[in-house]
């Protein structure tokens, strides 16, 4: 774990790059045409990574975490009145495992009248009932957070977009955190 920072929402508002990066990632991996890598590293151009340590962490994750979605980062914004989710960030970079990227690019459906079968049909490579249950649980958690509408995200959200797409759209609005 890294340091938790919950009092610096102004800093994140100045950062459009993560949202743009998430948009690019979504465009690359959401349709299944390109395989999602085992790990995706989001880092600034001046970030130094100790690859031996990264390899140790990822080997441990493979052994003990059983393909759970995981994001590692130097710092994290905890969920609060401004940030609707805990968001890993930091100059130490952010490392997402394959399960995390899969979860972040899958479509989210929040409308009560949406047919459950469509969720299963549209999720990326759901290969088992366990994957479908995890997908539904993820969608439910995201929808619960979206309904709080803490930063005006409901005005941008459309049924069927992914979390990464939502980040991208939010970062692209004209008055982003102004």
């Amino acid at each position: 774990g890294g340091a938790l920072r919950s009092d610096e929402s102004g800093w994140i508002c100045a950062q459009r790059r993560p949202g743009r990066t998430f948009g690019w990632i979504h465009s690359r991996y959401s349709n299944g045409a390109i395989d999602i890598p085992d790990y995706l590293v989001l880092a600034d151009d001046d970030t130094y990574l100790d690859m031996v340590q990264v390899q140790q962490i990822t080997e441990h994750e493979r052994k003990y975490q059983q393909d759970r979605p995981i994001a590692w980062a130097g710092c994290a914004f905890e969920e609060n009145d401004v940030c609707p989710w805990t968001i890993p960030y930091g100059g130490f970079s952010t490392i997402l495992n394959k399960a995390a990227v899969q979860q972040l690019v899958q479509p989210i459906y929040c409308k009560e009248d949406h047919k459950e079968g469509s969720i299963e049909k549209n999720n990326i490579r759901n290969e088992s009932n366990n994957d479908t249950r995890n997908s539904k649980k993820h969608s439910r958690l995201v929808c619960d957070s979206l309904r709080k509408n803490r930063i005006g995200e409901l005005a941008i959200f459309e049924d069927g977009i992914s979390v990464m797409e939502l980040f991208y759209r939010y970062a692209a609005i004209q008055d982003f955190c102004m």
Side-chain angles (χ1 to χ4, degrees):
L4 293 175
R5 301 171 79 164
S6 61
D7 60 342
E8 298 184 31
S9 61
W11 182 88
I12 195 67
C13 288
Q15 305 298 315
R16 289 183 185 260
R17 290 177 295 175
R20 290 179 178 156
T21 301
F22 283 155
W24 179 84
I25 292 168
H26 181 269
S27 71
R28 300 276 300 175
Y29 300 118
S30 65
N31 65 8
I34 298 175
D35 287 338
I36 295 173
D38 290 338
Y39 296 94
L40 185 65
V41 178
L42 308 172
D44 288 335
D45 58 353
D46 62 349
T47 299
Y48 172 81
L49 288 173
D50 181 342
M51 292 310 293
V52 172
Q53 191 172 24
V54 169
Q55 186 177 15
Q56 289 171 349
I57 291 169
T58 57
E59 284 175 6
H60 180 271
E61 181 267 332
R62 282 182 208 198
K63 231 184 246 183
Y64 300 107
Q65 299 301 330
Q66 302 171 345
D67 296 325
R68 284 188 13 214
I70 298 176
W72 296 282
C75 298
F77 280 106
E78 283 190 5
E79 179 179 346
N80 60 42
D81 291 339
V82 178
C83 294
W85 299 285
T86 298
I87 302 170
Y89 79 95
F92 299 111
S93 73
T94 300
I95 302 171
L96 303 170
N97 72 351
K98 184 177 206 161
V101 175
Q102 286 173 324
Q103 212 171 57
L104 291 170
V105 299
Q106 76 184 17
I108 301 296
Y109 297 98
C110 295
K111 288 185 180 174
E112 302 277 331
D113 61 351
H114 187 80
K115 291 185 171 68
E116 294 262 315
S118 295
I119 293 173
E120 294 169 17
K121 181 175 68 178
N122 290 319
N123 282 331
I124 295 176
R125 296 190 179 120
N126 275 336
E127 296 168 355
S128 72
N129 289 336
N130 192 40
D131 288 339
T132 301
R133 277 193 299 278
N134 289 339
S135 171
K136 289 177 184 177
K137 180 181 177 185
H138 171 69
S139 287
R140 201 170 36 255
L141 290 171
V142 171
C143 294
D144 288 348
S145 186
L146 281 168
R147 285 184 191 97
K148 295 175 184 174
N149 200 30
R150 296 182 190 148
I151 54 174
E153 63 273 25
L154 268 179
I156 298 164
F157 179 76
E158 293 176 22
D159 233 28
I161 69 170
S162 70
V163 171
M164 284 196 176
E165 238 178 327
L166 180 62
F167 271 92
Y168 174 74
R169 289 179 183 190
Y170 193 80
I173 62 175
Q174 185 69 27
D175 58 349
F176 179 72
C177 291
M178 297 275 185

